Amino acid sequence: MTKLIFILVLPVLLLTVVASAQDGGDFARTMNRKQLSLHKKDKLTHLLFYWHDSVQGRNPTAVRIKEPVSNSTMFGSMTMMDDPLTTDVSRNSTVVGQAQGFYAGAAQGEISYLVVMNFAFKTGKYNGSTIGIIGRDPVLSSKVREMPIIGGSGIFRFARGYVEARTKLSDFKAGVAIVEYNCYVLHY
Ligand SMILES: *[C@@H]1O[C@H](CO)[C@@H](O)[C@H](O)[C@H]1NC(C)=O
Ligand SMILES: *[C@@H]1O[C@H](CO)[C@@H](O)[C@H](O)[C@H]1NC(C)=O
Ligand SMILES: *[C@@H]1O[C@H](CO)[C@@H](O)[C@H](O)[C@H]1NC(C)=O
């Protein structure tokens, strides 16, 4: 009986394998979570650092690549940044990484940015690991802006979570801003 089932089923299996190979369906497979250590409980990590943005001056860390269509809301502007992240409010404190990405004026009624950036860490065990953010940043209307962490790499693989941004200093004329970032990250 077992033999009969085997004889009947085997060709079907073989046909399925051949068919899926032919239609390109063999590029994906289900994996065992253990292979990527995902069977372990995830960790919750809190990170606190300060983001320094400087659009003018001698050593700008950000550059306006598109001027706004409205100077009052900054709508339509785009600024590319490679901003240092430090352990304290002082620009002279230890740099733990860079915020690389852009912020773009995305609202017509107020100053609110679409922020797309990676936090690229470069110290200790975090060296080489990143956290990716895509969020909405209404810089003036909210004291605390929450933005989602949409992924990560290295230590932060499979990351999810959110950040809270609080402005510590903002000098529009001088083109500098310091923002405190509290990050709450779930990762393995
Ligand atoms: C915004 O301000 C700059 C500098 O004062 C000026 O050159 C530019 O024309 C202004 N743009 C708009 C859309 O008003
Ligand atoms: C950073 O250090 C330099 C020289 O060491 C000093 O001139 C500057 O005022 C310091 N900046 C801050 C924000 O503490
Ligand atoms: C971080 O990693 C880079 C590349 O592997 C290395 O060159 C650098 O020295 C490391 N920095 C620290 C502080 O460990």
Side-chain angles (χ1 to χ4, degrees):
M1 188 60 187
T2 331
K3 213 169 183 182
L4 185 62
I5 290 174
F6 192 69
I7 288 165
L8 288 175
V9 169
L10 191 64
V12 177
L13 281 176
L14 282 174
L15 273 178
T16 316
V17 169
V18 170
S20 65
Q22 276 171 351
D23 68 12
D26 61 342
F27 67 94
R29 68 193 167 99
T30 302
M31 281 180 67
N32 187 330
R33 296 170 75 94
K34 282 187 179 171
Q35 284 180 266
L36 293 180
S37 300
L38 296 188
H39 58 299
K40 295 179 186 157
K41 203 171 155 16
D42 49 12
K43 290 190 276 282
L44 176 62
T45 301
H46 172 238
L47 301 107
L48 168 65
F49 46 75
Y50 296 84
W51 174 96
H52 298 260
D53 190 62
S54 166
V55 203
Q56 292 166 30
R58 268 176 300 150
N59 299 305
T61 60
V63 58
R64 178 84 45 79
I65 54 177
K66 170 72 177 64
E67 290 300 324
V69 294
S70 154
N71 277 335
S72 58
T73 61
M74 300 302 285
F75 184 65
S77 70
M78 192 182 255
T79 306
M80 207 76 208
M81 65 174 132
D82 185 5
D83 289 344
L85 305 170
T86 64
T87 53
D88 220 323
V89 187
S90 167
R91 175 64 187 83
N92 287 346
S93 59
T94 310
V95 176
V96 293
Q98 299 292 127
Q100 297 172 335
F102 66 84
Y103 52 91
Q108 290 186 286
E110 61 172 334
I111 300 184
S112 181
Y113 293 111
L114 161 68
V115 178
V116 179
M117 65 183 166
N118 289 307
F119 292 145
F121 300 102
K122 52 187 185 190
T123 53
K125 66 172 177 174
Y126 299 103
N127 190 10
S129 295
T130 66
I131 287 175
I133 312 275
I134 296 183
R136 175 175 177 270
D137 191 357
V139 284
L140 298 182
S141 63
S142 303
K143 256 205 160 83
V144 185
R145 286 91 62 195
E146 181 180 324
M147 291 180 273
I149 291 169
I150 51 112
S153 72
I155 277 188
F156 298 116
R157 275 183 193 162
F158 294 101
R160 59 200 192 284
Y162 67 98
V163 301
E164 286 177 358
R166 291 173 175 83
T167 305
K168 292 288 147 182
L169 181 147
S170 173
D171 187 337
F172 204 75
K173 245 189 169 160
V176 295
I178 301 174
V179 178
E180 179 185 273
Y181 273 89
N182 277 277
C183 312
Y184 301 89
V185 201
L186 277 175
H187 61 103
Y188 288 93

